[in-house]
Amino acid sequence: MKHLLGVSALIAAITLAAWAWLGTGFDKLLPIRASEESFYVDRLLGMQFYVIAFLFALIIGFMLYSFIVFRRRPGDDGDGDHFHGNTTLEVVWTVVPLGVVLYFAVLGTGYLSDITSPETDELVVEVTGSQWNWRFDYPEYGISSAELFLPVNRQTVLELTSIDVIHSFWVPEFRVKQDAVPGMVHPLRITPTETGAYVVRCAEICGLDHSYMLADVSVMETADFDAWLQSQMAPPTGGLAEVGAELAQVNGCLGCHSIDGSENTGPTWLGIYGEEVYLADGSEIIIDDAYLRASIIDPGSQIVAGFENVSMPANFGAVLSDADLDALVAYIASLGKDKE
Ligand code: CUA
């Protein structure tokens, strides 16, 4: 009984010390909470840390107490006492953790249901991941963007998909995370609560430039967001090449193809239009509209010597319309010979 009181006091002391430490610093380790969902996630995580602190004290407390109180004294060569089970103790250490786990399961299920349930006035944004780009489409407005713009305090459903491998959409300040899987659409619901600038990361290893698969996120006041929508819905004022430049940005082409002549995963676009080049199979062609269209739709078909078809998505034919292809080709042509 004396030992039980002693070790209990030690465990209580370590637990209280750990809780006091958690109370001072835990929040500072995390990025700010910028969505409604983040409050649920942090509440659950925080509660688990408090339970874990007690479990830590339970193990360390027994260990420290035994080291000191039951250490071997000089001249003590005897065996320890022999015990044969303790039913009460076994029932306690089975039932109590079971209760704790069930409590968290019920709480977690409730939170999950809260943060994933649809609302009537949701903003829909289609998010397409590709190696290594994020593309955001606003189907209700016919807008595509390379940056994610969201109105504050309105629930948005991101419909996530991918055109090549599995990616994962993650903005740490929003806490929630969801995979973007080719051939499937996964919803992710976010209600931003803080205006400001954030960054989407890809949280699934997806190839060479996985760690650079970033996109800007801007959470705006409703009026500013509406103004942005209006500016995007206005018909393009520039020519076809200008539309193509926008498409190259949105679809992530410029991640692999430079427009200033510098080396990259794919051939630069500067000065290639009208050039004669050798293909990997030794034949010679002239880069014209037909070649560019074919290379966008079926990137593996005619590869320029010295390059490999490492990562260009094979289904731009399905993603881009005929008009999109015309605009992209016009843009590449505008970077042609005389621009060298
Ligand atoms: Cu996409 Cu990692």
Side-chain angles (χ1 to χ4, degrees), residues 220-241:
M220 314 163 98
E221 296 293 348
T222 308
D224 296 337
F225 178 74
D226 289 341
W228 175 78
L229 283 180
Q230 292 307 323
S231 73
Q232 295 296 304
M233 285 181 337
T237 48
L240 204 53

Side-chain angles (χ1 to χ4, degrees), residues 129-134 162 164-169 180 201-214:
S130 61
Q131 288 171 318
W132 292 276
N133 181 63
W134 293 106
S162 163
D164 39 43
V165 299
I166 301 176
H167 304 276
S168 183
F169 180 99
R201 281 142 229 280
C202 177
E204 185 74 54
I205 289 277
C206 57
L208 191 65
D209 284 346
H210 153 72
S211 53
Y212 300 110
M213 191 171 159
L214 311 170

Side-chain angles (χ1 to χ4, degrees), residues 208 253 255-258 261-270 272 276-282 285 287 291 295 299-312:
L208 191 65
C253 311
C256 294
H257 301 281
S258 79
S262 57
E263 292 267 319
N264 210 327
T265 318
T268 182
W269 285 354
L270 182 72
I272 58 162
E276 287 180 17
V277 291
Y278 286 101
L279 299 181
D281 64 7
I285 54 113
I287 296 184
Y291 172 76
S295 293
S301 60
Q302 292 171 297
I303 296 170
V304 174
F307 290 94
E308 283 174 64
N309 183 28
V310 279
S311 61
M312 183 145 160

Side-chain angles (χ1 to χ4, degrees), residues 96-148:
V96 172
L98 182 70
V100 172
V101 168
L102 285 177
Y103 173 72
F104 274 107
V106 170
L107 199 64
T109 308
Y111 283 1
L112 189 66
S113 151
D114 283 346
I115 65 177
T116 54
S117 53
E119 281 177 12
T120 46
D121 185 32
E122 289 178 331
L123 173 70
V124 179
V125 182
E126 294 169 354
V127 181
T128 309
S130 61
Q131 288 171 318
W132 292 276
N133 181 63
W134 293 106
R135 173 188 159 134
F136 306 101
D137 290 277
Y138 296 74
E140 294 150 272
Y141 306 98
I143 294 171
S144 300
S145 172
E147 182 177 344
L148 177 60

Side-chain angles (χ1 to χ4, degrees), residues 138-175:
Y138 296 74
E140 294 150 272
Y141 306 98
I143 294 171
S144 300
S145 172
E147 182 177 344
L148 177 60
F149 291 90
L150 296 174
V152 74
N153 295 327
R154 176 174 170 199
Q155 183 159 301
T156 296
V157 56
L158 302 175
E159 298 185 336
L160 295 156
T161 191
S162 163
I163 61 173
D164 39 43
V165 299
I166 301 176
H167 304 276
S168 183
F169 180 99
W170 183 43
V171 177
E173 290 83 357
F174 297 158
R175 297 295 190 276

